Amino acid sequence: QRLEAGRVLLRVQRASGLAVADVRALAALSLGDDGVLRAADLDVGWIQIGVQRDAFAQIVAALVPHWSAHSPLLPLLFEVFRTRVVMPGLPSDAAAEADAQRDETRDDAPVLSFLRLVSGLGWLLRGSSARRAELCFHCFDREGCGAVTRADFIAVLCYIYALYEDLGASPLRNAHAHATRVAERVQAEATRFVDMMFELWDEEGVGLLSRARFDRAAHQHPLLVQTFQLEQLDSPQVRQPLSAAPAAPTQPQTTSSTRVTSAADRTP
């Protein structure tokens, strides 16, 4: 059984695109134990790790330091990883599926299994451009209905702005008033952009964007392109450490003239 568990973990690691060192780093962050980094190989005991929502936000913020752990996008990613992640490295037998689903809840709080954590972060940070576009869509399709509503488009776009503006750590004396002004500006900018995209792509006026139409709209917004690396080339390149992607923009923008970052533009 331990041997099969090791095979399952290895399959998930390989399918995720993450290196063994990357998986060790995730285990260390999940357990709060830097000693894990000295492990020679994958430890099957890591399959027993369960990560709750707050810990997940801290792990992602540690891997992508310019992202704010306070952004509502991270709890949303947690749910997407927990409910929609695909683990192609797993065999379909019942025992492996039970391992993948282990500890889905703990003390009435949802828990993300370590296998899903590895697969989900591989999806976000190592996935092909098409796979990352799929992840982007799942984040905006909050109801899982196969289309994106105007309200969800605006809300999640505001979440993405919050990745880069950490209002929870503002040193200003009038931090609350500042946060309110920023939130109002972000809401207005997001609403303008989404209204423009629905006018352009919602030709039937039904208030929904299909996946194909949402994908066209998402590619028009620099922060979505940057956050999900939608235009990254799938050509062979030197592997980067987890903390190297995605790159931080200088500041949130809504103009579509911002240059799209591709794999060829980044230093290996």
Side-chain angles (χ1 to χ4, degrees):
Q1 187 176 7
R2 185 175 177 83
L3 180 61
E4 179 56 29
R7 289 171 177 163
V8 167
L9 182 56
L10 185 60
R11 289 189 188 105
V12 170
Q13 175 261 314
R14 289 175 174 172
S16 73
L18 300 180
V20 171
D22 295 332
V23 176
R24 280 202 300 267
L26 288 180
L29 288 168
S30 301
L31 296 169
D33 181 6
D34 289 343
V36 172
L37 297 174
R38 295 189 292 273
D41 207 341
L42 300 177
D43 186 333
V44 296
W46 299 342
I47 290 181
Q48 303 297 331
I49 294 173
V51 177
Q52 293 184 324
R53 188 179 287 113
D54 289 347
F56 172 80
Q58 296 301 322
I59 289 169
V60 175
L63 296 175
V64 192
H66 50 269
W67 281 11
S68 168
H70 302 289
S71 171
L73 183 71
L74 300 189
L76 181 58
L77 269 178
F78 176 90
E79 288 303 320
V80 171
F81 288 1
R82 198 171 70 89
T83 60
R84 305 191 202 180
V85 73
V86 176
M87 295 184 287
L90 279 184
S92 58
D93 60 90
E97 183 63 19
D99 277 334
Q101 300 285 355
R102 181 175 290 132
D103 291 335
E104 287 292 332
T105 60
R106 181 183 300 161
D107 299 327
D108 296 323
V111 171
L112 183 68
S113 72
F114 188 71
L115 295 181
R116 294 190 185 280
L117 177 67
V118 171
S119 296
L121 289 174
W123 192 5
L124 174 66
L125 301 176
R126 293 284 182 262
S128 65
S129 183
R131 286 278 289 150
R132 286 193 302 272
E134 178 187 7
L135 175 58
C136 179
F137 175 77
H138 281 309
C139 288
F140 280 82
D141 177 21
R142 294 195 294 180
E143 304 303 319
C145 64
V148 176
T149 66
R150 185 188 299 265
D152 281 348
F153 202 153
I154 293 171
V156 180
L157 187 54
C158 289
Y159 296 171
I160 290 175
Y161 271 91
L163 281 175
Y164 303 101
E165 295 200 37
D166 190 354
L167 301 179
S170 176
L172 299 177
R173 182 174 300 177
N174 57 342
H176 179 72
H178 173 71
T180 299
R181 288 194 299 271
V182 171
E184 290 173 350
R185 173 179 60 78
V186 165
Q187 179 78 20
E189 290 183 7
T191 301
R192 281 196 298 272
F193 175 80
V194 172
D195 285 348
M196 183 172 62
M197 292 299 100
F198 269 80
E199 182 177 352
L200 182 62
W201 296 113
D202 182 20
E203 298 173 353
E204 296 81 11
V206 296
L208 293 170
L209 293 182
S210 67
R211 179 173 169 180
R213 291 179 179 181
F214 170 79
D215 189 56
R216 296 189 187 102
H219 279 76
Q220 300 301 312
H221 199 292
L223 273 188
L224 294 183
V225 170
Q226 190 73 42
T227 300
F228 292 95
Q229 303 176 82
L230 297 180
E231 292 293 335
Q232 180 168 325
L233 300 177
D234 294 327
S235 56
Q237 58 178 307
V238 177
R239 184 184 300 276
Q240 298 178 351
L242 282 175
S243 60
T250 54
Q251 63 181 44
Q253 303 179 45
T254 55
T255 57
S256 58
S257 59
T258 299
R259 184 171 181 270
V260 173
T261 302
S262 71
D265 295 323
R266 292 198 297 274
T267 301

Coordinates of all heavy atoms in Angstrom, one line a residue, residues 18 22 155 166 208 231 233 243-244 260:
L18 N 5.5 20.2 -12.0 CA 6.3 20.7 -10.9 C 7.5 19.7 -10.7 O 7.4 18.5 -10.9 CB 5.6 20.8 -9.6 CG 4.4 21.8 -9.6 CD1 3.7 21.7 -8.2 CD2 4.8 23.2 -10.0
D22 N 10.1 21.4 -6.1 CA 8.9 22.2 -6.0 C 7.9 21.5 -5.0 O 7.4 22.2 -4.1 CB 8.2 22.5 -7.3 CG 9.1 23.3 -8.3 OD1 9.9 24.1 -7.8 OD2 8.9 23.1 -9.5
A155 N -17.0 41.1 -10.3 CA -16.5 40.7 -8.9 C -15.1 40.1 -9.0 O -14.2 40.5 -8.2 CB -17.5 39.8 -8.3
D166 N -2.4 45.5 -1.8 CA -2.7 44.9 -0.5 C -3.2 46.0 0.5 O -2.4 46.6 1.3 CB -1.3 44.3 0.0 CG -1.6 43.4 1.3 OD1 -2.7 43.4 1.8 OD2 -0.6 42.8 1.7
L208 N -24.7 36.8 -20.6 CA -23.8 35.7 -20.3 C -22.8 35.6 -21.4 O -23.1 35.9 -22.6 CB -24.5 34.3 -20.3 CG -25.5 34.0 -19.2 CD1 -26.3 32.8 -19.4 CD2 -24.8 33.9 -17.8
E231 N -0.9 34.5 -22.6 CA -0.2 34.5 -23.8 C 1.2 33.8 -23.8 O 2.0 33.9 -24.7 CB 0.0 35.9 -24.3 CG -1.3 36.6 -24.7 CD -2.0 36.0 -25.9 OE1 -1.3 35.4 -26.8 OE2 -3.2 36.1 -26.1
L233 N 4.1 31.5 -24.3 CA 4.3 30.5 -25.3 C 4.6 29.1 -24.7 O 5.1 29.0 -23.6 CB 5.6 30.9 -26.2 CG 5.5 32.2 -26.9 CD1 6.8 32.5 -27.6 CD2 4.3 32.2 -27.9
S243 N 8.6 30.5 -7.5 CA 8.4 31.9 -7.1 C 8.7 32.9 -8.3 O 8.4 34.1 -8.2 CB 9.4 32.3 -6.0 OG 10.7 32.1 -6.4
A244 N 9.0 32.3 -9.4 CA 9.4 33.2 -10.6 C 8.2 33.6 -11.4 O 8.2 34.4 -12.3 CB 10.4 32.5 -11.5
V260 N 1.9 42.2 -24.0 CA 1.7 40.9 -23.4 C 3.1 40.2 -23.1 O 4.0 40.3 -24.0 CB 0.9 40.0 -24.3 CG1 0.8 38.6 -23.8 CG2 -0.5 40.6 -24.5

